[in-house]
């Protein structure tokens, strides 16, 4: 679990702001959920024999003896909240949330025990149009963040529950004949969660799978049709994808569409965004049936990717515009007035030097602050009703500005620079 330090938070804020802008441009609404739920909720939704529920959850008893769990993901909580407040019944919802998730995994690059997801969930729409919208929305976000060249879309359909069950039986029958060639994890999954074996990273297992029954031969007509329509929508929107028949996702509730955005820039932890359709979950958790599709992105991985590609714009690290320095007690009192007025009348970010020190040491701080200008006030300036504006990033001369005209002048300077 990480502290996110002040040199990192600007990147977080940048990412969050850009994501919120994209979500707003599609008319999505934010939902805020608690970070703990009844343990049972995750068992019933994610699935008893998934990695998450079997070995990754932070579960504890509260003072009443109730079993609670720090949420390992957001979908189950979102469905729980929507049902509790009647948001899914006969309604269409387009929702998003953002926040920490908790999984007791082995920490490594791109994998942490407290990590953050930005999730999107939609309810009440059963056609492939909404699947396509979600994918287009993520594609727009990658373009906006300058990540579009670094991520690839993998797409698959998991078909109906019946199709999956028939496939599972045949897959288990085939793999059981070759049990000795399976890696240990896959052997264990053979009796618990056989579809996850498709996802195995072991090359011997992958080889074995080449001869195994092929899921696409089992897909029901409705799911096939849904998938073909989705592909057609993506084609006409110019969104490239790779159909990956081995993409299964680690959670039990998915059916029909599943997708992942994967990068080759981060080593093994390459999935930055993953999602799919889960039409059965609302009913399974006790609500009236409602079709649903959503996804979640891993914020830490996206930030790693932004940093790796040096895609974070320069301005993100720019904290202040002006560093104000006053020499002497009277000047300090006046300077407080001047900077307060600047903040009142403009959007400029102004930091006033506090803590005294020589002029030279204060100028050093001004330089380090990243501000474009220093604003200086001493006795001479006070007497003439001016302040001195000293450029810190270019070799231009300093100049004196009438205090009364200061805001207008600075706003004009910064507006000109932004053009
Ligand atoms: P993975 O196969 O990488 O473990 P997952 O299938 O467990 O991923 P999801 O539950 O679908 O992942 O979560 C969606 C996204 O959240 C992932 O694609 C990833 O970007 C991010 N994520 C998942 N687990 C972690 C973690 N422990 N630390 C950081 N990010 C994570
Ligand atoms: Mg995982």
């Amino acid at each position: 679990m990480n502290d996110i330090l002040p040199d990192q938070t600007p990147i977080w804020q940048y990412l969050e702001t850009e994501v919120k802008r994209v979500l707003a441009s599609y008319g999505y609404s934010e939902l805020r959920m608690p970070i703990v739920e009844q343990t049972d909720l995750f068992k019933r939704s994610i699935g008893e024999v998934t990695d998450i529920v079997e070995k990754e959850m932070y579960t504890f008893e509260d003072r009443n003896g109730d079993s609670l769990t720090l949420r390992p993901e957001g979908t189950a909580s979102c469905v729980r909240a929507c049902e509790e407040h009647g948001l899914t019944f006969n309604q269409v919802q387009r929702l998003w949330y953002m926040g920490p998730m908790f999984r007791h995994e082995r920490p490594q690059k791109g994998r942490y025990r407290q990590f953050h997801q930005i999730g999107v969930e939609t309810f009440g729409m059963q056609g492939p149009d909404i699947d396509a919208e979600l994918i287009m929305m993520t594609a727009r976000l990658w373009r906006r963040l300058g990540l579009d060249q670094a991520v690839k879309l993998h797409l698959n359909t998991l078909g109906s529950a019946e199709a999956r069950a028939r496939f599972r039986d045949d897959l288990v029958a085939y793999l059981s004949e070759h049990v000795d060639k399976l890696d240990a994890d896959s052997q264990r999954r053979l009796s618990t969660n056989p579809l996850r074996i498709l996802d195995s990273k072991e090359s011997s297992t992958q080889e074995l799978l080449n001869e195994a029954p092929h899921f696409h031969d089992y897909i029901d007509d409705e799911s096939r049709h849904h998938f073909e329509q989705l592909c057609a929508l993506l084609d006409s929107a110019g969104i490239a994808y790779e159909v990956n028949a081995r993409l299964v996702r680690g959670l039990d509730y998915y059916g029909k569409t599943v997708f992942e955005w994967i990068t080759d820039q981060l080593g093994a932890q390459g999935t930055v965004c993953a999602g799919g359709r889960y039409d059965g979950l609302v009913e399974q958790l006790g609500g009236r049936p409602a079709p649903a599709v959503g996804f979640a992105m891993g914020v830490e991985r996206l930030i790693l990717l932004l940093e790796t590609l040096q895609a974070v714009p320069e301005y993100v690290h720019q904290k202040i515009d002006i560093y104000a320095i006053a020499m002497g007690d009277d000047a300090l009192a006046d300077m407080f007035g001047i900077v307060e007025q600047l903040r009142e009348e403009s959007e400029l970010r102004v930091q006033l030097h506090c803590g005294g020190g020589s002029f030279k040491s204060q100028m050093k701080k001004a330089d380090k602050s990243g501000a474009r200008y220093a604003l200086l006030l001493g006795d001479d300036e006070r007497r003439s009703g001016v302040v001195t504006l000293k450029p810190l990033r270019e070799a231009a001369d300093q100049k004196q500005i009438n205090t009364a005209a200061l805001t207008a002048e600075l706003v004009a300077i910064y507006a000109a620079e932004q053009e």
Side-chain angles (χ1 to χ4, degrees), residues 51-52 56 103 105 111 115 196 250 301:
D51 283 355
I52 295 179
E56 296 174 0
R103 296 184 195 176
E105 302 197 71
R111 198 178 285 292
F115 63 100
R196 274 297 274 200
R301 288 185 197 178

Side-chain angles (χ1 to χ4, degrees), residues 2-107:
N2 297 309
D3 298 307
I4 302 164
L5 300 177
D7 65 335
Q8 282 283 307
T9 47
I11 308 177
W12 284 72
Q13 291 172 355
Y14 163 67
L15 178 64
E16 290 164 4
T17 305
E18 294 302 316
V19 174
K20 283 183 196 172
R21 286 204 178 118
V22 170
L23 288 162
S25 75
Y26 288 75
Y28 283 59
S29 310
E30 185 184 7
L31 177 69
R32 300 191 182 190
M33 298 108 48
I35 59 165
V36 287
E37 299 277 352
Q38 305 277 355
T39 302
D40 193 48
L41 174 71
F42 301 116
K43 289 192 177 167
R44 288 195 296 143
S45 54
I46 298 169
E48 292 264 10
V49 293
T50 57
D51 283 355
I52 295 179
V53 172
E54 267 189 342
K55 46 188 192 192
E56 296 174 0
M57 295 204 306
Y58 282 92
T59 297
F60 60 97
E61 261 187 23
D62 75 357
R63 286 169 185 276
N64 301 332
D66 291 331
S67 179
L68 303 182
T69 293
L70 295 181
R71 64 184 185 190
E73 57 112 46
T75 305
S77 306
C78 181
V79 170
R80 196 264 317 136
C82 284
E83 268 172 47
E84 198 170 316
H85 302 283
L87 302 184
T88 51
F89 179 57
N90 258 345
Q91 291 177 59
V92 163
Q93 295 290 349
R94 288 175 162 91
L95 304 171
W96 65 270
Y97 51 83
M98 175 183 296
M101 306 293 163
F102 304 84
R103 296 184 195 176
H104 196 277
E105 302 197 71
R106 191 170 69 77

Side-chain angles (χ1 to χ4, degrees), residues 103 105 110-112 115 117 249 251 271-274 296 298 301:
R103 296 184 195 176
E105 302 197 71
R111 198 178 285 292
Y112 313 102
F115 63 100
Q117 286 184 341
R249 313 283 306 110
L251 302 87
T271 302
V272 293
C273 174
R301 288 185 197 178

Side-chain angles (χ1 to χ4, degrees), residues 13 22 26 49 83 95-96 98 124 145 150 160 184 187 189 206-207 234 239 271 273 379 385 389 392 394 399 405:
Q13 291 172 355
V22 170
Y26 288 75
V49 293
E83 268 172 47
L95 304 171
W96 65 270
M98 175 183 296
L145 294 171
S160 65
Q187 287 183 357
R189 285 186 173 134
Q206 281 297 333
E207 240 166 71
L234 295 177
I239 292 183
T271 302
C273 174
D379 287 338
L389 188 67
L392 297 170
E394 52 192 325
K399 64 173 177 176

